[in-house]
Tab-separated table of all heavy atoms in Angstrom:
chain	number	residue	atom	x	y	z
X	1	PRO	N	9.809	-1.419	9.364
X	1	PRO	CA	8.514	-1.998	8.891
X	1	PRO	C	8.710	-2.810	7.776
X	1	PRO	O	9.661	-2.755	7.039
X	1	PRO	CB	7.639	-0.735	8.656
X	1	PRO	CG	8.562	0.179	8.011
X	1	PRO	CD	9.823	0.033	8.943
X	2	THR	N	7.790	-3.765	7.459
X	2	THR	CA	7.672	-4.469	6.209
X	2	THR	C	6.886	-3.523	5.292
X	2	THR	O	6.240	-2.640	5.691
X	2	THR	CB	7.002	-5.779	6.260
X	2	THR	OG1	5.729	-5.598	6.895
X	2	THR	CG2	7.772	-6.683	7.360
X	3	TYR	N	6.823	-3.919	4.065
X	3	TYR	CA	6.108	-3.156	2.921
X	3	TYR	C	4.788	-2.989	3.339
X	3	TYR	O	4.192	-1.886	3.144
X	3	TYR	CB	6.292	-3.888	1.635
X	3	TYR	CG	5.450	-3.218	0.603
X	3	TYR	CD1	5.957	-2.095	-0.051
X	3	TYR	CD2	4.213	-3.641	0.241
X	3	TYR	CE1	5.072	-1.459	-1.075
X	3	TYR	CE2	3.409	-3.137	-0.711
X	3	TYR	CZ	3.873	-1.916	-1.423
X	3	TYR	OH	3.097	-1.334	-2.335
X	4	HIS	N	4.091	-4.055	3.869
X	4	HIS	CA	2.612	-3.922	4.117
X	4	HIS	C	2.260	-2.860	5.043
X	4	HIS	O	1.385	-2.026	4.833
X	4	HIS	CB	2.120	-5.312	4.638
X	4	HIS	CG	2.525	-6.497	3.883
X	4	HIS	ND1	2.113	-6.592	2.532
X	4	HIS	CD2	3.418	-7.499	4.056
X	4	HIS	CE1	2.618	-7.696	2.033
X	4	HIS	NE2	3.365	-8.309	2.940
X	5	LEU	N	2.984	-2.746	6.264
X	5	LEU	CA	2.661	-1.623	7.182
X	5	LEU	C	3.100	-0.389	6.701
X	5	LEU	O	2.337	0.619	6.767
X	5	LEU	CB	3.337	-2.023	8.527
X	5	LEU	CG	3.046	-0.882	9.594
X	5	LEU	CD1	1.599	-0.894	9.979
X	5	LEU	CD2	3.931	-1.032	10.918
X	6	ALA	N	4.342	-0.245	6.004
X	6	ALA	CA	4.924	0.968	5.736
X	6	ALA	C	4.073	1.621	4.619
X	6	ALA	O	3.748	2.930	4.647
X	6	ALA	CB	6.328	0.810	5.197
X	7	SER	N	3.631	0.880	3.616
X	7	SER	CA	2.814	1.465	2.503
X	7	SER	C	1.538	1.972	3.033
X	7	SER	O	0.987	3.099	2.615
X	7	SER	CB	2.629	0.418	1.374
X	7	SER	OG	1.826	-0.610	1.728
X	8	VAL	N	0.854	1.210	3.945
X	8	VAL	CA	-0.417	1.643	4.452
X	8	VAL	C	-0.376	2.886	5.286
X	8	VAL	O	-1.061	3.929	5.092
X	8	VAL	CB	-1.025	0.512	5.307
X	8	VAL	CG1	-2.261	1.054	6.109
X	8	VAL	CG2	-1.513	-0.569	4.380
X	9	VAL	N	0.594	3.029	6.166
X	9	VAL	CA	0.907	4.127	7.005
X	9	VAL	C	1.201	5.296	6.225
X	9	VAL	O	0.703	6.407	6.356
X	9	VAL	CB	1.961	3.829	7.991
X	9	VAL	CG1	2.416	5.044	8.776
X	9	VAL	CG2	1.484	2.706	9.123
X	10	ASP	N	2.218	5.141	5.279
X	10	ASP	CA	2.625	6.312	4.553
X	10	ASP	C	1.487	6.789	3.579
X	10	ASP	O	1.321	8.036	3.456
X	10	ASP	CB	3.823	5.991	3.731
X	10	ASP	CG	5.040	5.833	4.578
X	10	ASP	OD1	5.097	6.450	5.719
X	10	ASP	OD2	6.091	5.236	4.189
X	11	ASP	N	0.762	5.927	2.922
X	11	ASP	CA	-0.275	6.422	1.985
X	11	ASP	C	-1.349	7.124	2.835
X	11	ASP	O	-1.814	8.140	2.351
X	11	ASP	CB	-0.943	5.183	1.321
X	11	ASP	CG	0.021	4.603	0.163
X	11	ASP	OD1	1.001	5.392	-0.178
X	11	ASP	OD2	-0.313	3.531	-0.289
X	12	HIS	N	-1.575	6.678	4.062
X	12	HIS	CA	-2.622	7.423	4.877
X	12	HIS	C	-2.051	8.818	5.310
X	12	HIS	O	-2.741	9.796	5.061
X	12	HIS	CB	-2.878	6.594	6.081
X	12	HIS	CG	-3.635	7.348	7.224
X	12	HIS	ND1	-4.981	7.652	7.019
X	12	HIS	CD2	-3.334	7.938	8.397
X	12	HIS	CE1	-5.482	8.271	7.996
X	12	HIS	NE2	-4.321	8.465	8.933
X	13	HIS	N	-0.893	8.834	5.830
X	13	HIS	CA	-0.385	10.167	6.367
X	13	HIS	C	-0.067	11.106	5.174
X	13	HIS	O	-0.010	12.330	5.452
X	13	HIS	CB	0.831	9.928	7.215
X	13	HIS	CG	0.462	9.351	8.638
X	13	HIS	ND1	-0.192	10.116	9.493
X	13	HIS	CD2	0.695	8.146	9.197
X	13	HIS	CE1	-0.417	9.402	10.644
X	13	HIS	NE2	0.097	8.181	10.408
X	14	MET	N	0.243	10.552	4.043
X	14	MET	CA	0.567	11.467	2.998
X	14	MET	C	-0.639	11.806	2.159
X	14	MET	O	-0.547	12.545	1.083
X	14	MET	CB	1.632	10.830	2.024
X	14	MET	CG	2.948	10.661	2.608
X	14	MET	SD	4.246	9.922	1.427
X	14	MET	CE	5.755	10.184	2.433
X	15	GLY	N	-1.840	11.332	2.605
X	15	GLY	CA	-3.058	11.784	1.883
X	15	GLY	C	-3.171	11.240	0.467
X	15	GLY	O	-3.783	11.874	-0.407
X	16	ILE	N	-2.654	10.046	0.267
X	16	ILE	CA	-2.734	9.466	-1.132
X	16	ILE	C	-4.105	9.106	-1.451
X	16	ILE	O	-4.795	8.335	-0.680
X	16	ILE	CB	-1.793	8.184	-1.181
X	16	ILE	CG1	-0.337	8.566	-0.877
X	16	ILE	CG2	-1.911	7.624	-2.507
X	16	ILE	CD1	0.222	9.645	-1.775
X	17	SER	N	-4.668	9.603	-2.517
X	17	SER	CA	-6.099	9.320	-2.935
X	17	SER	C	-6.187	8.192	-3.804
X	17	SER	O	-7.155	7.366	-3.786
X	17	SER	CB	-6.666	10.585	-3.670
X	17	SER	OG	-5.901	10.755	-4.854
X	18	HIS	N	-5.173	7.801	-4.619
X	18	HIS	CA	-5.232	6.730	-5.536
X	18	HIS	C	-3.778	6.038	-5.546
X	18	HIS	O	-2.852	6.715	-5.686
X	18	HIS	CB	-5.491	7.173	-6.996
X	18	HIS	CG	-6.833	7.785	-7.127
X	18	HIS	ND1	-7.113	9.111	-6.698
X	18	HIS	CD2	-7.997	7.349	-7.673
X	18	HIS	CE1	-8.437	9.427	-6.952
X	18	HIS	NE2	-8.893	8.342	-7.581
X	19	VAL	N	-3.802	4.716	-5.475
X	19	VAL	CA	-2.570	3.966	-5.478
X	19	VAL	C	-2.561	3.215	-6.871
X	19	VAL	O	-3.299	2.371	-7.184
X	19	VAL	CB	-2.447	2.876	-4.381
X	19	VAL	CG1	-1.260	2.038	-4.642
X	19	VAL	CG2	-2.374	3.572	-2.998
X	20	LEU	N	-1.659	3.726	-7.774
X	20	LEU	CA	-1.459	3.048	-9.129
X	20	LEU	C	-0.096	2.306	-9.028
X	20	LEU	O	0.901	2.924	-8.905
X	20	LEU	CB	-1.329	4.147	-10.176
X	20	LEU	CG	-2.751	4.672	-10.655
X	20	LEU	CD1	-3.510	5.517	-9.616
X	20	LEU	CD2	-2.470	5.531	-11.921
X	21	ARG	N	-0.091	0.972	-8.897
X	21	ARG	CA	0.991	0.274	-8.759
X	21	ARG	C	0.974	-0.985	-9.586
X	21	ARG	O	-0.054	-1.348	-10.109
X	21	ARG	CB	1.348	-0.063	-7.171
X	21	ARG	CG	0.200	-0.863	-6.566
X	21	ARG	CD	0.504	-1.071	-5.067
X	21	ARG	NE	-0.672	-1.777	-4.396
X	21	ARG	CZ	-0.749	-1.962	-3.124
X	21	ARG	NH1	0.132	-1.486	-2.285
X	21	ARG	NH2	-1.788	-2.705	-2.585
X	22	GLY	N	2.085	-1.785	-9.526
X	22	GLY	CA	2.094	-2.982	-10.273
X	22	GLY	C	1.235	-4.074	-9.867
X	22	GLY	O	0.848	-4.158	-8.709
X	23	SER	N	0.680	-4.895	-10.860
X	23	SER	CA	-0.208	-5.901	-10.615
X	23	SER	C	0.297	-6.929	-9.714
X	23	SER	O	-0.460	-7.767	-9.087
X	23	SER	CB	-0.771	-6.505	-11.992
X	23	SER	OG	0.371	-7.037	-12.619
X	24	GLU	N	1.558	-7.106	-9.548
X	24	GLU	CA	2.059	-8.008	-8.557
X	24	GLU	C	1.610	-7.832	-7.059
X	24	GLU	O	1.735	-8.699	-6.245
X	24	GLU	CB	3.684	-8.107	-8.551
X	24	GLU	CG	4.338	-6.841	-8.005
X	24	GLU	CD	4.628	-5.735	-9.170
X	24	GLU	OE1	3.899	-5.807	-10.033
X	24	GLU	OE2	5.600	-4.986	-8.939
X	25	TRP	N	1.157	-6.494	-6.783
X	25	TRP	CA	0.652	-6.272	-5.437
X	25	TRP	C	-0.905	-6.474	-5.366
X	25	TRP	O	-1.406	-6.183	-4.278
X	25	TRP	CB	0.970	-4.833	-5.123
X	25	TRP	CG	2.502	-4.562	-4.948
X	25	TRP	CD1	3.319	-3.874	-5.792
X	25	TRP	CD2	3.291	-5.118	-3.902
X	25	TRP	NE1	4.529	-3.932	-5.357
X	25	TRP	CE2	4.672	-4.703	-4.189
X	25	TRP	CE3	3.028	-5.848	-2.791
X	25	TRP	CZ2	5.749	-5.008	-3.381
X	25	TRP	CZ3	4.158	-6.225	-1.940
X	25	TRP	CH2	5.447	-5.806	-2.290
X	26	LEU	N	-1.569	-6.915	-6.332
X	26	LEU	CA	-3.000	-7.160	-6.302
X	26	LEU	C	-3.445	-8.035	-5.246
X	26	LEU	O	-4.322	-7.788	-4.473
X	26	LEU	CB	-3.459	-7.583	-7.690
X	26	LEU	CG	-4.956	-7.717	-7.864
X	26	LEU	CD1	-5.710	-6.420	-7.777
X	26	LEU	CD2	-5.345	-8.340	-9.250
X	27	VAL	N	-2.663	-9.173	-5.041
X	27	VAL	CA	-3.056	-10.143	-4.096
X	27	VAL	C	-2.890	-9.711	-2.693
X	27	VAL	O	-3.607	-9.997	-1.777
X	27	VAL	CB	-2.215	-11.475	-4.360
X	27	VAL	CG1	-2.393	-12.469	-3.241
X	27	VAL	CG2	-2.486	-12.079	-5.682
X	28	SER	N	-1.932	-8.735	-2.514
X	28	SER	CA	-1.625	-8.234	-1.153
X	28	SER	C	-2.611	-7.166	-0.728
X	28	SER	O	-2.666	-6.837	0.472
X	28	SER	CB	-0.217	-7.606	-1.124
X	28	SER	OG	0.728	-8.642	-1.314
X	29	THR	N	-3.464	-6.701	-1.701
X	29	THR	CA	-4.293	-5.523	-1.407
X	29	THR	C	-5.363	-5.907	-0.227
X	29	THR	O	-5.713	-5.038	0.592
X	29	THR	CB	-4.966	-5.013	-2.657
X	29	THR	OG1	-4.000	-4.679	-3.595
X	29	THR	CG2	-5.799	-3.725	-2.358
X	30	SER	N	-5.837	-7.147	-0.240
X	30	SER	CA	-6.825	-7.496	0.718
X	30	SER	C	-6.208	-7.390	2.157
X	30	SER	O	-6.843	-7.023	3.063
X	30	SER	CB	-7.361	-8.966	0.435
X	30	SER	OG	-8.124	-8.900	-0.632
X	31	LYS	N	-4.904	-7.811	2.161
X	31	LYS	CA	-4.140	-7.686	3.468
X	31	LYS	C	-4.008	-6.252	3.851
X	31	LYS	O	-4.181	-5.908	5.083
X	31	LYS	CB	-2.770	-8.285	3.198
X	31	LYS	CG	-2.047	-8.592	4.513
X	31	LYS	CD	-0.645	-9.036	4.167
X	31	LYS	CE	-0.611	-10.282	3.206
X	31	LYS	NZ	0.735	-10.751	2.939
X	32	HIS	N	-3.723	-5.352	2.878
X	32	HIS	CA	-3.603	-4.059	3.232
X	32	HIS	C	-4.945	-3.352	3.651
X	32	HIS	O	-4.994	-2.499	4.587
X	32	HIS	CB	-3.016	-3.213	2.070
X	32	HIS	CG	-1.671	-3.707	1.614
X	32	HIS	ND1	-1.200	-3.535	0.349
X	32	HIS	CD2	-0.805	-4.563	2.228
X	32	HIS	CE1	0.055	-4.001	0.248
X	32	HIS	NE2	0.287	-4.634	1.426
């Protein structure tokens, strides 16, 4: 997978409640 799919799938299946990550991913969040 690319980062976009992998991060969404893994955060969902791992039950992640809050994503604290670098601001460089802010623009990609709408896509996620």
Side-chain angles (χ1 to χ4, degrees):
T2 60
Y3 173 80
H4 307 297
L5 180 67
S7 64
V8 167
V9 170
D10 287 341
D11 287 344
H12 170 72
H13 286 294
M14 290 183 173
I16 300 302
S17 63
H18 297 76
V19 172
L20 279 64
R21 62 185 177 188
S23 59
E24 67 269 25
W25 294 109
L26 183 62
V27 174
S28 296
T29 304
S30 290
K31 193 185 308 180
H32 298 164

